[in-house]
Amino acid sequence: MSGFLEFFQHLLASDFLPRGNCYYWQPGIVWLHAISDSLIAAAYYSIPISLLWVVRKRHELKFRSLVLMFASFITACGVTHTMSVWNVWHSAYRLEGLMKAITAGLSVATAIVTVRLAPTALKIVMPAQAERSHQILMEEMAARGQAEEELRHLAEGDRLASEAKLRSYFEAASQGILAFDRKGLIVLVNRRIEEMFGYKRVELLGKPLEILIPRRPSGDSETPDFFSEPSVRTAGRSGMKLIGRRKDRTEFPVEMGLSYLKGDEDVVALGLLSDITEQTRSLAEIERVNDELRRSNADLEQFAYVASHDLQEPLRMVTSYLNLLERRYKDRLDADAGEFIHFAVDGATRMKGLIQDLLRFSRVGHQVLHIREVDGEPVLQAALLNLKAAIDEHAAEVTADPLPTIPCDPGLLTQVFQNLIGNALKFHAEAKPRVHISAERVGAEWVFSVKDNGIGINPVHVDRIFRIFERLHNAEQYPGTGVGLAVVKKIVERHGGRIWVSSEPGQGATFLFSLPVEPVAIS
Amino acid sequence: MPNRKSLSVPAEILLVEDNPGDVRLMQEAFLEGGLTSTLHVARDGEQAMAYLHQTGIYSDSLRPALILLDLNLPRKHGREVLAEIKQEKKLRKIPVMILSTSTSPEDIREAYDLHANCYLQKPQDLEGLVALGKLIENFWLGTAMLAAPNGG
């Protein structure tokens, strides 16, 4: 018992030699031991601090007591190493021995507990494995997060880009664009609206649409209607035109297309406005010209009827009564009177011819064309049959190449051939009249030619000959009123073709006319 | 003797014509041509209908065997006169010759649509008119068989 007491009384006594003596105080070995033990001690102290921190944080941690035991065992180890350092220079071997004993006790206890818990520990997830799963999970989450972030970024970029694009379109649009809400208040305008109406943007935002497009006298407004059933459409129903009013109170016709945008809170109406002043003016002009044309056509038709009836009536009276005079009073009139009556009747007869030709010309311009695919051969034959007397009279030789099938009004084409061949016979020279008809395909047209060996035409006159009542010769030389070629020209032109002539005096003449391969009718 | 009706020369002919020059000319042409039929004259469409219905001053008019009708008439146009004649059962058997200056295809088509019996252009001179008068009398009153008037 006294030995036990003595042990504790001399616990801190230095009655032994410090361990340094064993190292002969060689600094190398002294410091090797001292520093190594110090480092081991420091390490041993730090480990339990970490363990205690984990235990405090992780309340769910299993084997809590084991961890605590482990911590105290390591701490104790630390203390024994600290004692080793101390005892290099001192000699508290009793205290050191006591510390070792305590450490030994803690070590054995921990070892026993560890051995006993080992099978249970096997069953729980190994920390490394958990760590790995955890890491994979974290990686996945990180990857997903990044992808989402990238997507968000991209979307944001797109949105910004398309917004910028939209804004530039919006501003640069040649149409005025505005948006108004359910209350009819303007919420958006583009530059064109400012130009069209002469307002600054700030003067319009929040103002009623009516300052730009005043309500019509009927009180009709687009706004309530539109919001009751938003759709894409044109404002101003059934031909009703909208009137825009500028800042300077002047008005102009506008057309407004309506669309709508679904905003965050409500629908806004999107109006696309065009200034249709020009179109309206052009339309009015076209309308006016059309009216004039209709009137002039009606006048012509009226003229045609007047020519066919009213104008001929008095002529018929003149002729008939002159006839009666001549017939009934022949014996009582002298030779002069007979001659006078003859001239009067002749004048009236020519007048009648002129009127009838004028009527013919006018009808050619107005009659409805009955265009169909027609074989040129029988058309030419019909013309030649009508000219049989003249051909026989002049002992003329009329020849023709094969003719194509073309879209035309056959009656009118007959008349074209008849007039051209008739002219060729009429204006014959000394030699036996020869007329040759041929056709040639030139691009999208057939070009017909009627060639003769007659007196020909001085090229300076070629423009005149197609005018109505234009004559190059007097009536005694070559009878006629000068309507034949005018009628031909009109018929050809109504078929979408052209007519021209190539000739030299004394060299005969070739009349050429074209007819389109595809049917067209010019009214 | 129903057959005698077809060869009805001399007959009564109604000329509906507003122009006195034409009326006189027709009379002269009948004279020059030696035609024997009697020419009765109505100066407009209303007179023509009054004559045919024997109303007013025409109460004792004679039913014509033939009507010569000008188209261009004042007050009631020749087309209307033609249409009325051809709609009336009592009158539509009487042949109507349209005599017009017009050669307009529309006028001709319309006249036949309204059941004109023939369309004739007024001749340009006296000789033509004399010839036409003879032709009409020879064909319509000499050759063609005409229907007897209703109940007559």
Side-chain angles (χ1 to χ4, degrees), chain B residues 111-128:
Chain B
Y112 283 111
D113 277 346
L114 292 170
H115 308 294
N117 295 76
C118 79
Y119 190 104
L120 303 164
Q121 190 190 5
K122 282 182 184 173
Q124 179 62 18
D125 52 25
L126 185 71
E127 263 173 55

Side-chain angles (χ1 to χ4, degrees), chain A residues 179-182 187-188 226-227 230 259-270:
Chain A
F180 54 95
D181 63 14
R182 194 177 288 277
V187 295
L188 189 73
F226 183 76
F227 282 101
S259 180
Y260 60 95
L261 273 180
K262 280 211 171 78
D264 293 337
E265 291 159 24
D266 199 1
V267 173
V268 293
L270 203 61

Side-chain angles (χ1 to χ4, degrees), chain A residues 5 37 49 62 85 123 129 145 152 188 216 259 272 297 320 325 352 356-357 387 392 409 421 425 493:
Chain A
L5 272 174
D37 277 322
I49 292 172
K62 290 184 175 172
V85 176
K123 289 179 192 156
Q129 194 183 333
R152 240 198 322 277
L188 189 73
R216 285 186 286 270
S259 180
L272 279 89
N297 273 346
S320 301
L325 201 61
K352 182 183 158 68
Q356 280 178 339
D357 282 348
L387 289 166
D392 290 348
D409 183 314
I421 298 166
L425 299 175
E493 285 176 353

Side-chain angles (χ1 to χ4, degrees), chain A residues 53-238:
Chain A
W53 182 76
V54 170
V55 169
R56 272 180 65 90
K57 290 277 170 197
R58 300 281 301 265
H59 300 287
E60 83 286 359
L61 196 71
K62 290 184 175 172
F63 312 122
R64 216 180 162 79
S65 51
L66 179 64
V67 172
L68 290 173
M69 282 178 79
F70 206 76
S72 42
F73 147 66
I74 289 175
T75 308
C77 286
V79 172
T80 57
H81 283 276
T82 308
M83 285 311 299
S84 296
V85 176
W86 178 260
N87 281 342
V88 172
W89 288 278
H90 308 279
S91 53
Y93 295 134
R94 293 184 192 83
L95 182 61
E96 193 181 356
L98 181 66
M99 284 301 140
K100 280 188 178 169
I102 293 170
T103 303
L106 283 169
S107 303
V108 170
T110 305
I112 291 166
V113 171
T114 304
V115 169
R116 283 180 55 192
L117 282 176
T120 319
L122 257 185
K123 289 179 192 156
I124 67 160
V125 179
M126 296 295 285
Q129 194 183 333
E131 185 66 17
R132 222 180 63 231
S133 305
H134 180 68
Q135 197 173 338
I136 290 170
L137 196 66
M138 288 308 282
E139 274 168 12
E140 271 180 12
M141 279 172 69
R144 185 183 295 180
Q146 190 172 349
E148 277 172 2
E149 181 61 21
E150 268 168 24
L151 268 175
R152 240 198 322 277
H153 211 77
L154 278 174
E156 179 72 3
D158 267 9
R159 193 178 63 81
L160 286 173
S162 58
E163 234 176 54
K165 209 183 278 179
L166 214 63
R167 179 151 288 275
S168 71
Y169 288 159
F170 176 72
E171 285 302 340
S174 60
Q175 273 189 312
I177 306 175
L178 56 77
F180 54 95
D181 63 14
R182 194 177 288 277
K183 280 174 275 175
L185 300 180
I186 298 167
V187 295
L188 189 73
V189 296
N190 73 342
R191 199 172 300 155
R192 183 77 186 105
I193 291 281
E194 295 179 299
E195 289 167 8
M196 275 165 76
F197 290 91
Y199 283 101
K200 288 260 171 292
R201 193 166 304 210
V202 286
E203 296 174 294
L204 292 173
L205 297 179
K207 299 281 158 45
L209 180 62
E210 274 71 28
I211 71 167
L212 297 182
I213 300 165
R215 276 166 201 271
R216 285 186 286 270
S218 61
D220 202 354
S221 167
E222 292 302 322
T223 320
D225 278 2
F226 183 76
F227 282 101
S228 66
E229 195 189 331
S231 62
V232 178
R233 62 168 115 135
T234 306
R237 282 152 296 169
S238 55

